[in-house]
Amino acid sequence: MEATLRWTAVAAVAPVAWGTNYYVTHEYLPAGDPLYGGVIRALPAGVLLLAVARKRPYGSWWWKSLVLGTLNAGAFFVLIYVAAQLLPTSLASTIMATSPLVMMLTAWPLLSERPSVRHLAGSAAGIVGVSLMLLTGATRASAPGVLASVTALLLSSLGYILAKRWSHQVDVLASTSWQLIAGGLLLLPFAAAVEGAPPALDASSALAFGYVTTVATALAFAAWFAGLRRLPAATVGLVGLLNPVTGVLLGTVVAGESLTVQQVGGLALVLTGILLGRPAGGRVGRWRTARAAAEDETPRGAGPVETGGTVSRR
């Protein structure tokens, strides 16, 4: 149980960091360069993590890194950048609040992790809670912005589940760096062809990109994948509801406004949803035991070995 709480706390670093990203992107980053925005966010973060991990891809991880980099970094960063520029933070965050449910439904066929009633109830509570916190009045909806946000949600949910399926026995920092570098390199030629020269950054934009790269990308993604590797996808998905909670609290602090009764009720529902996603001790024990048993089938002392889509390096 102590280990479960520890890894839940590690995973929580990601949505808290991402919760600040909408505000920083909307307020400080240039609006007309979403492709370069993705490149500048992904590549430096990937290189930073690679310098720490000091490992390069091997075997099937060359193409897996490309797939995950496209889903979790390349396409995702561009789409979320567009959504942040076209949608109010409230609507963009509400759409992304459905991510836990999408992750649960994706993990069911791909990981055989059947969502429990508690997890489904937690997801429902989270969606209602986020709606109460954020959709407090008339909200301007942009069709391209909504489409970008929904597509980002679907692609990233699939990418997270595939990363979990493939990541056992692979260093988390290394695999995260490979994804980010692959995603950034994939975007670079499109950015040059469509947007021309890189955008000129003033001091505030450069500092904002520095924050987004180091905190909201390198640190956040490493923490997210570390938690996802060790916990059920449903649990990590519900922890992701801290993203809109952070956005609301940040907006309250920055604007100097007080929370309304409706927002407090929504916050309580979201936190209830996160608590419902906390796996019972026995259930986590069985899940971790089954995973450990599967990993122990790989002979120790062997090099990179692939079994059932999982690469092991002993």
Side-chain angles (χ1 to χ4, degrees):
M1 181 59 67
E2 181 181 349
T4 299
L5 292 175
R6 181 171 65 251
W7 287 114
T8 300
V10 170
V13 170
V16 170
W18 293 336
T20 65
N21 192 50
Y22 278 112
Y23 175 79
V24 173
T25 299
H26 194 272
E27 295 295 326
Y28 297 105
L29 298 185
D33 301 287
L35 293 173
Y36 272 118
V39 172
I40 297 173
R41 179 180 181 182
L43 267 181
V47 171
L48 176 63
L49 291 177
L50 186 64
V52 176
R54 302 173 65 88
K55 294 179 182 178
R56 63 179 179 82
Y58 52 86
S60 65
W61 271 98
W62 286 103
W63 68 263
K64 288 177 180 177
S65 298
L66 181 60
V67 171
L68 295 178
T70 301
L71 295 174
N72 295 332
F76 177 73
F77 286 170
V78 172
L79 291 167
I80 211 67
Y81 196 99
V82 170
Q85 297 294 345
L86 296 180
L87 294 177
T89 300
S90 59
L91 182 55
S93 296
T94 300
I95 293 172
M96 295 303 290
T98 62
S99 177
L101 179 60
V102 176
M103 284 183 63
M104 291 178 204
L105 297 179
T106 306
W108 192 350
L110 293 182
L111 300 176
S112 299
E113 291 184 11
R114 183 174 182 175
S116 67
V117 174
R118 287 193 313 116
H119 286 143
L120 293 174
S123 181
I127 294 172
V128 173
V130 170
S131 299
L132 287 175
M133 282 194 302
L134 299 177
L135 299 181
T136 55
T139 303
R140 174 182 57 83
S142 160
V146 171
L147 179 61
S149 188
V150 171
T151 305
L153 163 69
L154 296 175
L155 292 182
S156 62
S157 296
L158 174 61
Y160 296 155
I161 298 305
L162 288 178
K164 178 177 176 63
R165 179 174 179 174
W166 292 338
S167 67
H168 297 315
Q169 309 300 314
V170 178
D171 183 82
V172 171
L173 292 181
S175 62
T176 303
S177 72
W178 303 338
Q179 294 180 52
L180 293 172
I181 291 173
L185 291 176
L186 182 68
L187 285 177
L188 187 56
F190 292 99
V194 175
E195 298 174 356
L201 302 178
D202 57 21
S204 62
S205 295
L207 288 174
F209 264 123
Y211 172 81
V212 169
T213 295
T214 56
V215 178
T217 305
L219 175 63
F221 274 87
W224 182 255
F225 287 126
L228 193 60
R229 176 175 174 175
R230 293 167 175 84
L231 297 170
T235 298
V236 178
L238 286 169
V239 169
L241 291 171
L242 289 173
N243 184 331
V245 170
T246 303
V248 168
L249 296 179
L250 177 63
T252 301
V253 171
V254 171
E257 300 173 353
S258 59
L259 293 173
T260 66
V261 174
Q262 180 175 325
Q263 287 177 315
V264 172
L267 178 61
L269 275 175
V270 171
L271 295 178
T272 299
I274 295 173
L275 290 176
L276 285 173
R278 184 175 61 86
R283 182 168 184 172
V284 172
R286 290 192 297 272
W287 180 78
R288 290 175 66 96
T289 300
R291 191 190 71 181
E295 293 175 358
D296 285 344
E297 292 177 1
T298 304
R300 295 191 178 275
V305 177
E306 294 189 19
T307 40
T310 299
V311 180
S312 298
R313 181 181 289 275
R314 296 286 186 176

